[in-house]
Amino acid sequence: MTVIQSIIGRIQPGRFDEYLELNRQVIKIHERMGVTARVLLAGPAGEASGLSSFSTEHPSMDDYARYAEDAAADSELQSLVMNLRSEQAPVVIEQQSLASELPLGRTPKAGRGPVVEVHVSRPTPGRMEEVLNLGKRVCDFVEANGAMNARSFQLGYAGIGTGSLLSMWEFESLRAWGKAADAWNNDPEGQEIAMSTVAANPSTTLAFSGLYMEVPL
């Protein structure tokens, strides 16, 4: 199943243009390596607002490991990494994690959009079957209301976040996202799903929500 590597960074004040140029170079290198990569910027996301998210996608953990080895041996990429570790870097890396896709028994709606909605939750021990069923139900609901590429992952190698669940889906525009957001309040199915997450003994406990915008490079 798909593995996503995420690298979260804080952009230095007054250095946004340099940050964009750095990412242009990094994306070009990943294109050369045949690796899917993208850059997102957190909008409404509480304490994460304004943070940068650079991510890569891989078909499996083995593919990620091969990529990591190739990246470590790529002189052009390593030169940029060294710049990121210097005091002059336009962005400060705050965390890195891996997430493995959960088997929901469904095929996500194809597509990729510039607006990405993200939710992180903690699963209740012993309730994984319910967690998977809820994940499938949520993904089906958001895609029925305009989302694309709805998937659920479990975080690994993520510090205190290890074991948390990551759910994400994409929209073609903010207006499309707004319609889906309204559906949670106006659609009986959305209301029922939302209420189940705040019940007396829920299968998951929501820990974080954020809306991200893809950075045009």
Side-chain angles (χ1 to χ4, degrees):
M1 303 295 280
T2 299
V3 171
I4 293 182
Q5 171 198 219
S6 296
I7 301 174
I8 307 300
R10 186 174 299 278
I11 304 168
Q12 299 282 52
R15 309 286 296 281
F16 194 75
D17 286 344
E18 295 174 64
Y19 158 80
L20 290 179
E21 180 55 32
L22 174 66
N23 278 292
R24 290 189 189 101
Q25 296 178 52
V26 173
I27 291 293
K28 181 180 288 188
I29 294 172
H30 281 76
E31 289 175 346
R32 168 170 58 76
M33 297 174 69
V35 175
T36 299
R38 70 193 305 188
V39 180
L40 302 172
L41 200 61
E47 70 285 351
S49 298
L51 294 185
S52 165
S53 172
F54 174 83
S55 64
T56 60
E57 287 201 22
H58 312 271
S60 68
M61 196 64 78
D62 181 60
D63 286 287
Y64 165 75
R66 292 173 187 270
Y67 152 76
E69 289 185 343
D70 289 344
D74 190 294
S75 59
E76 186 179 8
L77 182 57
Q78 286 308 305
S79 177
L80 292 177
V81 170
M82 291 302 294
N83 289 338
L84 276 173
R85 293 173 178 166
S86 72
E87 293 182 355
Q88 291 74 38
V91 60
V92 177
I93 303 303
E94 295 199 343
Q95 60 174 283
Q96 182 175 353
S97 64
L98 296 176
S100 299
E101 188 174 4
L102 293 172
L104 300 183
R106 66 185 300 276
T107 301
K109 182 192 295 184
R112 177 167 153 169
V115 180
V116 182
E117 185 172 350
V118 174
H119 300 276
V120 176
S121 60
R122 284 284 188 180
T124 302
R127 307 278 295 280
M128 201 60 189
E129 184 174 353
E130 294 175 61
V131 168
L132 295 176
N133 289 335
L134 176 62
K136 180 180 185 302
R137 192 177 179 189
V138 168
C139 288
D140 287 342
F141 178 77
V142 294
E143 288 189 350
N145 285 279
M148 304 172 286
N149 201 23
R151 297 174 291 173
S152 289
F153 295 80
Q154 188 159 38
L155 290 170
Y157 305 96
I160 61 174
T162 299
S164 296
L165 306 176
L166 168 68
S167 296
M168 57 190 295
W169 42 85
E170 310 180 31
F171 297 93
E172 62 182 12
S173 67
L174 277 171
R175 182 167 294 183
W177 163 79
K179 290 180 179 179
D182 284 339
W184 286 108
N185 296 319
N186 301 329
D187 187 292
E189 171 74 358
Q191 293 173 354
E192 186 177 335
I193 293 173
M195 290 301 295
S196 72
T197 64
V198 293
N201 187 25
S203 59
T204 65
T205 302
L206 186 63
F208 171 86
S209 291
L211 193 64
Y212 291 73
M213 320 299 172
E214 187 159 16
V215 178
L217 297 172

